[in-house]
Amino acid sequence: MAFVSAGLFKHPTRCYRSTSIIGVGLLGTSTYRHDYKINRVSFPNSIPSSYYCCATLSTTMEEVKPAFDADEAAILVNGLRKTFNSGKTKSYEWRISQLESISKMVDEKEKEIIKALHEDLSKPELEAYLSEILMVKSSCTLALKELKQWMMPKKAETSLATYPSSAEIVSEPLGVVLIISTWNFPFSLSLDPVIGAIAAGNAVVLKPSEIAPATSSLLSRLIGEYMDQSAVIVVEGAVAETSALLEQKWDKIFFTGGARVGRIVMAAAAKNLTPVTLELGGKCPAIVDSNVNLQIASRRIVAGKWVCNNGQACIGVDYIITAKEFAPKLIEALVSAVEEIFGKDPMESKERSRIINSFHFSRLIKLLDEDKVSEKIVFGGQRDGSQLQIAPTILLDVPEDSLIMQEEIFGPLLPIITVERLEDSFAMINRKSKPLAAYLFSDDEQMKREFVHNVYAGGMAINDTILQVTVPSLPFGGVGESGMGSYHGKFSFDAFSHKKAVLYRSFAGESPTRYPPYTPGKQKQIKALLSGNIFKIILALLGWFKD
């Protein structure tokens, strides 16, 4: 009888190849390769910067205890807390040095990053550069440029009640933070929050997704090589390792992933009253009006659906709503745009990522092959399980109660729902959980205003898709089921900072009015001072109110 458990190693070369063992992770399945039973690793006083997780196959009748358990996690966190309490991570110089290290790492290891992303998701090289590498570079560049300004205390106004005084808001780091990343953009969605956490002066543990093992392993190695090993650590692994981490007390947990696991993370955080940022997802709608430039609108929808990681994006278009009489023209334009970008046979195109693994491939096929759904396919529908590919697929008027309209699709399937009046689409969207993003294509200014005012979503774009996340002055985050909290640009710094209120007073300006006994004259004077009426305030300062 064989048992599988996790082993962690400081050097990846100690993991030996053999047959694959499939392990179920938090968001699906992944493969680990190892054929040696290795004793549990114990760490001395120093804490390694990263852990390499391999499965251990034992032919004994006793289950092997995972090397990274709650005890090891506690040792790790205690070491990071000592580093943070030393004040090392709070200095401007340390923060800048770590941000420069990330920038240098991305520049020097660009080819390795692209290779890992291709291994995990078959990401085309340009897509990998634009959506992963460039996003990290841009975040780093902005943080390096603005960090001194972000760190400066911000002056705050004071009231007459505290006169004479001054006040400021001081941004201070939260402490030791945990960042749990996801698999669809495994490089940028790991490092973007790390950049914010470091800029804010925190010690960091990054847990990459085990479902993108090549990128996870690369992050572990590169961060160990480039970053301060006493303050920035990568822990690889799956459910056991994540559970061990969640048992610890953190000063902030930042999670990117699905709502189901988001609830698990939030429940774990609640035990220690740990604040959380949850970047989740949802069914992101796109409303398409009949007055648009149809060729441009179709290209932008295709870019936001199929070019963007083959639909595996939390901000990608999940479904379209349009007027019934306009639907045929829209479908024709979308098909034309798909063929223009991916060729007559999109299954042969090298410009699309593949589905991440067989679990998610099967999940998508289940959505597509459901009764009363498969008959609604008007374009595409081809699939190849051996290549984990599904063609760009358009469906028209699938039932509202079908799985494809109840679950976040997260793949290359695009339902189009028709309505008699486009204004009816607002209520349709709001009946569902609040999405991470919502899109409108229209040249009607009144329609734009009503859409922004009446549709609830984490963020929006008008006449385009997904580009709102590239604007660093805009917060990126969800609301309700699509998440809580936000980041990007200065918002990333704020997400990992506490805004400490500070009031400064001298010993001048002391007034006996403040202290008991409160005689009738004193009470009148206090009320006058706090009234906001300038005439009464002047009378009070002149001592007009007497007993």
Side-chain angles (χ1 to χ4, degrees):
M1 183 176 181
F3 294 86
V4 178
S5 63
L8 291 125
F9 310 94
K10 187 167 183 181
H11 302 287
T13 54
R14 294 181 188 172
C15 292
Y16 305 96
R17 293 182 179 176
S18 74
T19 55
S20 298
I21 304 166
I22 303 299
V24 178
L26 282 173
L27 299 176
T29 61
S30 59
T31 303
Y32 304 90
R33 294 175 175 86
H34 191 58
D35 67 353
Y36 246 63
K37 177 181 175 181
I38 296 182
N39 293 331
R40 176 175 170 179
V41 178
S42 60
F43 299 110
N45 294 331
S46 63
I47 295 177
S49 62
S50 56
Y51 299 83
Y52 299 88
C53 177
C54 299
T56 300
L57 179 61
S58 172
T59 55
T60 65
M61 294 303 293
E62 296 180 2
E63 186 174 356
V64 179
K65 185 179 180 182
F68 190 83
D69 55 14
D71 293 336
E72 296 291 347
I75 293 170
L76 182 151
V77 174
N78 287 338
L80 288 172
R81 204 166 293 283
K82 286 179 182 178
T83 299
F84 178 76
N85 290 339
S86 73
K88 179 181 185 179
T89 66
K90 297 180 184 179
S91 73
Y92 173 77
E93 291 74 19
W94 182 87
R95 303 183 200 195
I96 287 292
S97 71
Q98 296 307 296
L99 293 172
E100 288 175 341
S101 293
I102 293 177
S103 182
K104 180 182 179 183
M105 175 184 79
V106 175
D107 285 337
E108 293 181 350
K109 302 298 182 181
E110 181 178 310
K111 290 184 178 178
E112 291 185 47
I113 297 164
I114 290 173
K115 181 181 177 183
L117 292 168
H118 188 269
E119 187 176 333
D120 285 331
L121 286 147
S122 293
K123 281 200 177 187
E125 183 173 340
L126 184 59
E127 181 187 344
Y129 179 81
L130 294 174
S131 66
E132 304 260 16
I133 293 171
L134 187 60
M135 291 289 285
V136 173
K137 282 185 174 182
S138 299
S139 295
C140 248
T141 301
L142 180 66
L144 285 165
K145 178 183 176 183
E146 301 292 341
L147 183 58
K148 187 166 287 187
Q149 184 66 31
W150 292 350
M151 291 177 64
M152 287 180 62
K154 303 298 185 287
K155 292 294 182 184
E157 292 185 0
T158 58
S159 66
L160 189 62
T162 63
Y163 180 84
S165 65
S166 63
E168 64 183 8
I169 302 167
V170 177
S171 295
E172 65 178 13
L174 293 173
V176 181
V177 303
L178 171 63
I179 296 171
I180 304 174
S181 186
T182 189
W183 55 262
N184 57 331
F185 295 90
F187 189 76
S188 61
L189 293 184
S190 292
L191 286 184
D192 214 342
V194 167
I195 289 167
I198 288 172
N202 298 280
V204 184
V205 170
L206 169 64
K207 166 59 182 68
S209 173
E210 72 279 7
I211 299 176
T215 307
S216 175
S217 177
L218 182 66
L219 281 167
S220 178
R221 178 169 62 83
L222 294 185
I223 287 178
E225 180 181 339
Y226 282 85
M227 308 294 291
D228 181 349
Q229 299 181 29
S230 69
V232 184
I233 293 174
V234 173
V235 174
E236 288 195 270
V239 176
E241 290 76 18
T242 306
S243 299
L245 290 170
L246 288 174
E247 287 183 30
Q248 310 310 309
K249 179 173 175 56
W250 303 92
D251 297 300
K252 176 71 178 273
I253 298 176
F254 188 106
F255 170 76
T256 305
R260 180 182 64 83
V261 181
R263 286 181 168 85
I264 295 171
V265 170
M266 194 170 181
K271 294 177 182 177
N272 292 307
L273 295 180
T274 299
V276 296
T277 293
L278 301 179
E279 295 293 339
L280 307 178
K283 295 187 70 63
C284 301
I287 300 173
V288 183
D289 202 347
S290 60
N291 58 19
V292 300
N293 182 317
L294 195 50
Q295 183 182 40
I296 294 175
S298 297
R299 286 173 177 168
R300 292 177 179 178
I301 292 170
V302 171
K305 178 63 177 182
W306 293 294
V307 175
C308 185
N309 205 22
N310 202 13
Q312 300 170 112
C314 55
I315 54 167
V317 178
D318 190 276
Y319 64 101
I320 289 174
I321 305 175
T322 195
K324 188 178 290 292
E325 67 275 8
F326 185 64
K329 291 182 180 179
L330 176 59
I331 292 169
E332 182 181 355
L334 287 171
V335 171
S336 177
V338 167
E339 292 179 345
E340 176 189 349
I341 293 170
F342 300 116
K344 289 291 184 181
D345 185 1
M347 290 290 283
E348 297 297 321
S349 173
K350 302 300 182 184
E351 300 298 327
R352 294 191 307 131
S353 303
R354 62 167 169 79
I355 307 304
I356 181 67
N357 58 26
S358 58
F359 172 84
H360 284 280
F361 180 86
S362 299
R363 178 185 62 81
L364 290 165
I365 295 302
K366 180 181 178 182
L367 298 181
L368 193 58
D369 289 348
E370 186 183 7
D371 290 344
K372 299 182 180 179
V373 170
S374 58
E375 63 191 40
K376 301 293 185 178
I377 296 173
V378 294
F379 176 73
Q382 299 87 358
R383 73 285 301 267
D384 182 348
S386 65
Q387 299 298 316
L388 296 178
Q389 280 289 1
I390 300 174
T393 301
I394 301 172
L395 305 98
L396 181 62
D397 282 329
V398 299
E400 183 68 20
D401 60 354
S402 60
L403 285 176
I404 202 170
M405 288 305 297
Q406 298 301 313
E407 299 178 5
E408 182 179 7
I409 295 171
F410 224 70
L413 317 179
L414 181 61
I416 297 177
I417 307 299
T418 61
V419 291
E420 296 297 333
R421 296 172 57 255
L422 209 56
E423 291 79 3
D424 297 338
S425 60
F426 296 172
M428 180 183 296
I429 294 169
N430 288 335
R431 282 197 298 270
K432 298 182 182 295
S433 298
K434 297 172 184 176
L436 185 57
Y439 304 106
L440 170 69
F441 288 85
S442 177
D443 265 343
D444 186 327
E445 295 301 320
Q446 179 65 23
M447 172 72 77
K448 295 176 188 178
R449 287 192 293 270
E450 290 180 1
F451 177 75
V452 172
H453 183 72
N454 294 314
V455 173
Y456 297 98
M460 291 180 167
I462 309 297
N463 292 328
D464 214 324
T465 60
I466 71 176
L467 287 186
Q468 71 275 13
V469 303
T470 67
V471 182
S473 57
L474 290 176
F476 173 59
V479 58
E481 286 280 316
S482 59
M484 60 181 70
S486 60
Y487 72 125
H488 283 189
K490 171 69 159 48
F491 300 100
S492 293
F493 177 86
D494 292 338
F496 292 98
S497 300
H498 167 64
K499 303 305 178 184
K500 184 164 63 179
V502 183
L503 177 70
Y504 296 94
R505 294 201 71 200
S506 70
F507 292 105
E510 183 70 356
S511 172
T513 306
R514 176 179 176 181
Y515 307 103
Y518 296 117
T519 63
K522 271 191 181 182
Q523 292 182 40
K524 291 178 182 178
Q525 191 174 8
I526 291 170
K527 290 178 181 179
L529 286 169
L530 299 177
S531 67
N533 184 307
I534 189 65
F535 179 70
K536 290 182 179 180
I537 290 171
I538 292 171
L539 291 178
L541 292 173
L542 292 173
W544 185 267
F545 301 102
K546 298 182 182 295
D547 292 325

